[in-house]
Amino acid sequence: LSEPLAGSDVASMTTRATRDGDSYVIKGRKAWISHAGHADFYTTFARTSDDGGRGLSCFIVPGDAEGLEFGAPEKKMGLHCDTVREVIFNDVRVDADRRIGDEGQGMAIALSALDSGRLGIAAGATGLAQGALDVAAAYAKEREQFGRPIAANQGLAFLIADMEAAITSARATYLHAARLRDAGRAFSKEAAVAKLVCTDAAMQVTTDAVQVLGGAGYTQDFPVERYMREAKVAQIFEGTNQIQRLVISRHVLA
Ligand SMILES: Cc1cc2nc3c(=O)[nH]c(=O)nc-3n(C[C@H](O)[C@H](O)[C@H](O)COP(=O)(O)OP(=O)(O)OC[C@H]3O[C@@H](n4cnc5c(N)ncnc54)[C@H](O)[C@@H]3O)c2cc1C
């Protein structure tokens, strides 16, 4: 979906798919593509007309298609398991039957996929926060200063309480959205709320976990510094948290 000059503003993408007989020829450049160079297939959105967001279509492109090239892996602050690279389409020819849906349905397909994807990000972020709290609580009970466990200080115990409250409320938002989805009801707004609440909670909780561990939290001897770095990206991808606010406010003000 993303391109170097079209991130949050998906509808401004310029990658183009031009119909040529029984196939399309795709030309353009995608940015930030997870698992690029490893995937067997790429779900790709490209412009089939100049009608803004209504001019996008969706294609399945085989990973070994002629003309498909990949940029250098991005040097990221975390998520090292996920190779992220540009995907360059140099006149890549794909059969017309590899188009998903009709021409012009690309935006609707993308938005629908993002709704579900946001639930996955929200759930993952909540698990990340829970992991950070587990490490922080165990450390706070064991580490002693001033002759007693640091957890015996109300100032620190209240920080742990706030972490628990943030995680519990975050979990409720994504479960609510997921239940609506399972019931076949509208869940777009709730998915955006869950993505926003859960990833902001993960950022706060993982940062606080580093604080609970003090200097040890800042080292790679404990996992919380990594959790903090992993939490950051969840506020950015699958639509930044500013874009979630855009989605939510449009629903509320419609
Ligand atoms: C590790 C990683 C993996 C990714 N994987 C994929 C992938 O597999 N496929 C894919 O398509 N993309 C992927 N992305 C891209 C990701 O979805 C984009 O980074 C994201 O949508 C934001 O786009 P951008 O980076 O161009 O930021 P921009 O859109 O340039 O935004 C920059 C800042 O401006 C803010 N902003 C922009 N517009 C508004 C507005 N209207 N109101 C308020 N604030 C605004 C944003 O919130 C952000 O803070 C990945 C990104 C990362 C970091």
Side-chain angles (χ1 to χ4, degrees):
L1 198 60
S2 304
E3 296 186 357
L5 298 181
S8 300
D9 184 11
V10 169
S12 68
M13 73 168 58
T14 56
T15 296
R16 185 169 286 275
T18 307
R19 184 84 191 221
D20 182 28
D22 285 342
S23 55
Y24 286 87
V25 178
I26 304 179
K27 190 173 185 58
R29 182 179 287 259
K30 295 290 174 181
W32 303 109
I33 303 307
S34 293
H35 313 306
H38 296 290
D40 294 328
F41 294 93
Y42 294 86
T43 311
T44 304
F45 296 87
R47 183 163 295 292
T48 43
S49 86
D50 289 321
D51 194 11
R54 284 182 291 273
L56 307 182
S57 302
C58 181
F59 300 89
I60 296 284
V61 180
D64 59 359
E66 204 175 318
L68 197 62
E69 291 174 14
F70 305 99
E74 300 292 347
K75 295 175 184 155
K76 310 189 297 321
M77 69 188 275
L79 216 67
H80 295 310
C81 61
D82 175 18
T83 307
V84 170
R85 303 163 72 172
E86 282 196 346
V87 176
I88 301 130
F89 294 82
N90 283 321
D91 291 330
V92 174
R93 187 173 286 273
V94 292
D95 292 343
D97 61 8
R98 289 202 180 278
R99 192 190 68 225
I100 302 176
D102 291 332
E103 278 197 11
Q105 281 188 335
M107 192 67 164
I109 293 169
L111 292 178
S112 155
L114 284 169
D115 282 346
S116 295
R118 282 166 189 162
L119 291 184
I121 302 294
T126 307
L128 189 63
Q130 183 68 61
L133 173 58
D134 292 348
V135 173
Y139 187 89
K141 286 190 279 185
E142 193 183 308
R143 169 75 173 170
E144 293 194 0
Q145 287 295 284
F146 300 99
R148 59 183 189 161
I150 56 171
N153 299 291
Q154 198 178 60
L156 200 88
F158 278 14
L159 191 58
I160 302 264
D162 285 345
M163 293 160 82
E164 171 65 21
I167 294 167
T168 302
S169 38
R171 187 172 285 121
T173 63
Y174 86 72
L175 286 176
H176 172 55
R179 285 176 185 132
L180 287 175
R181 184 183 186 280
D182 284 350
R185 292 169 58 185
F187 70 102
S188 184
K189 180 191 71 181
E190 288 76 9
V193 169
K195 200 275 187 181
L196 172 65
V197 169
C198 295
T199 61
D200 278 359
M203 193 71 250
Q204 185 63 53
V205 168
T206 54
T207 305
D208 287 345
V210 171
Q211 191 69 20
V212 169
L213 270 69
Y218 198 66
T219 71
Q220 293 180 1
D221 295 339
F222 291 87
V224 286
E225 60 83 27
R226 180 171 71 82
Y227 294 168
M228 190 175 123
R229 288 184 285 111
E230 308 293 27
K232 187 63 220 175
V233 76
Q235 293 182 307
I236 295 171
F237 60 13
E238 216 76 8
T240 68
N241 282 6
Q242 283 77 25
I243 295 305
Q244 305 310 316
R245 289 181 172 91
L246 204 70
V247 172
I248 297 163
S249 60
R250 279 182 183 158
H251 276 280
V252 173
L253 300 171

